[in-house]
Amino acid sequence: MNKRKLLFNALGSVMLLASCGGNVTSENREMDRFVSELMGKMTIEEKIGQLCQCSGGFATGPNNTKIDRTEDISKGLLGSMLNVSGAANTRKYQEAAMKSRLQIPLIFGLDVIHGFRTGFPLPLAEAASFDLDAIERSARCSAREAAAAGLHWTFAPMVDIGWDARWGRVMEGAGEDPYYGAKVAKARVHGLQGDDLSDESTIMACIKHFAGYGAPIAGKDYNSVDMSMGHFANFYMPPYKAGAEAGAATFMSAFNDFNNEPCTGSEFLLRDLLKDKWGFKGFVVSDWGSVSEMINHRYAADEKEAALKGITAGLDMEMVSECYSKNLKALVEEGKVDEKLVDDAVRRILEQKYKLGLFEDPFKYCNEEREKSVIGSKQSREDACYVAERSIVLLKNDKNILPLSKDVKRISLVGALAKSQKDMCGAWSCADVSKVVTLYDAMCERGYNVDYVEGYNLENNKIVDLNRTLSSARNSDVVIVAMGERAWQSGEMRSKGDISIAEEQQKLVSELVKTGKPVVVLMMCGRPVIFNEVRKNAPAILCTWWLSSEAGNAICNVLWGDYNPSGKLPMTFPQHNGQIPLNYQYKSTGRPTANGEWCAKYIDIPTEPAYPFGYGLSYTTFEYSDLKVNDSVNGDVYANVSVNVKNTGKYKGEEVVQLYVRDEVASVTRPIKELKGFEKISLEPGESKTVTFDITDEQLGFYNNNMDYVVEKGDFTFMVGTNSKNVQSIKYTLK
Ligand code: NOJ
């Protein structure tokens, strides 16, 4: 096996493309001059102040001091606030900052995770769209609304790869795949930041949580992370790197330890990899209290040592804990911290303030008129519905129960979630709950004859008045059951040991099916869930996740076929908790999983998932044919793979055509297949299209054990299909 080509060494260098890039332009020179001049006037206290961020409102973590910091702000001793929003509210604090000696504006950050006051589907749900334009559109709308409410910064996107559905925060990411995760990261950064941070409708993105936060041992939030560097480089790193390449203005360090160091104090991650190797020019913020949590990690004896480790590692801004404000000055005076480290952090923060245009006009984001017209606008609602429709995944549709006929007269709508505005929003929501359209609202609005029955109690999941529910079903043309988790059951600190849907809810579905009426299940969840009884008994299942403000409208559009579902699962759904962590791109092992005895499998549970990665049906059907490899190509392209896709059903539909690659033999062990391309196409009934994927370094390469990105000669298998399991294969040899 010859190494063909060394592409990048030591975890790759990054070509910075967008706003925080290193290009020397006249604009950058002007910024350098401005920032240098300003820093020349700053005292050490004022410099350290820029590195401090406090929470101004509600808590999104423990130990929220809630002390009014207005006086510190007017003394120039604070650089940023989180959890403050609203044009009037932020103006109040900015006015205090303008009383400070050097009038350095504050930046306001908030977790705008899936839409602002107009809520969008959970990030995991949006990822199911496999529609990068839709994902970018969602981020753009979040930015537009947030920026109109005085915000400059969101702590998003979370780009952590998740293979463990017990970890409640999978709801906030793009799922399990690094290739796709990297594309989504880029779309989200671009949506939030646009091409120009000074534009009043853009805000700073924050790539989080650097690094490896999505792989806590046993899926327990905040737990330790332990992985080899090869595993990190190939499976977890790509979305972070893509975020840096896309020009994200900020990164957030993760709570967990990585390679035996808390990420917040990891010089390897923050300084060597992110800032030096990847050339990241923005700034790094800690996670909530994670500087002082280095004491809990037993990596720092006290707050002073935590401050020392943070600043040395390259952690620029401290969120909430106060190790920097209390200790950095002494550390500099004692010669333990070179002031140049403080200066570097200050410069990075001031540069972003400059790029936001805040030195020109500190109040440019505090415009109450704009706030009123932008938030909840028609455009926002349309965008939210558009993205929500595309996030829904059709899991089962026996006998083509769906789409429902417009002539359906009587609907039995079962399940308390069908009426819960709050649950529809999902975790990490900023949405205006009172403006959420529930499924019940949307059906009534469309004039359907809806008999709503609670079905089960939302608090304890016990069946409520089964007789009443069954009689409603018997008197209907169709039964629609809204079921699943509660919104608060996924998200931060929501890890679960059992991701099964409550037994009673599942039983209720079985009882409803026995009435002989067509039953459509809407699975509402923030993560992969286990619902084997429902999977077996219900004839039609849609995974609707949490879709937020336009949930009811989007679901109705899909139920009645105004939009033909096109979502695909961005995470594998297990059949059993014991299968977790579960992902499609596992390695062969020396004893590959098979039906035999001496192989990688369980003796008491299946190895197959409930639904594989990339799975999702449509109301129409697609036929794949004529898979070909063509290697008579030029330039950076080694070959291209093409396939013909035909819509063989009777509805217009969209299909996500997926390309997987297997490196047959390599210098390190490689997965059985990896997603390396996808294209979402739209086809009229009877229409065909040829989809072509270019095979380049991106499709064939990997990080070897020297952490070099290499492409090796030899045999590959290309697989193209409708999901990670159902594929057609073709061989290719790179000579
Ligand atoms: C803790 C979370 O881990 C992080 O993602 C979030 O941005 C901060 N809290 C601020 O709310």
Side-chain angles (χ1 to χ4, degrees), residues 60-61 82-83 111 155 169 172 208-209 213 222 252 255 287-288 319 428 492:
T60 44
L82 82 153
N83 297 348
D111 293 285
F155 307 118
R169 280 195 99 165
E172 206 182 329
K208 72 187 189 184
H209 305 83
Y213 182 52
Y222 315 124
M252 184 184 289
F255 284 126
D287 203 338
W288 179 288
M319 183 189 285
W428 279 124
E492 188 180 348

Side-chain angles (χ1 to χ4, degrees), residues 465-486:
D465 201 347
L466 183 61
N467 289 338
R468 158 82 178 96
T469 308
L470 294 179
S471 99
S472 164
R474 286 191 195 103
N475 289 323
S476 70
D477 299 324
V478 63
V479 184
I480 296 174
V481 193
M483 62 181 298
E485 289 190 308
R486 300 294 303 275

Side-chain angles (χ1 to χ4, degrees), residues 30 35 59 195 215 258 264 283 286 339 365 377 381 390 414 432 448 550 596 601 665 694-695 703:
E30 178 50 32
V35 171
D195 296 321
F258 180 89
T264 299
F283 70 86
S286 77
E339 194 170 342
Y365 293 76
S377 68
R381 300 297 300 206
R390 281 152 185 78
V414 182
D432 181 344
Y448 289 115
E550 287 287 324
K601 63 169 196 175
V665 182
D694 283 346
I695 303 299
Y703 288 94

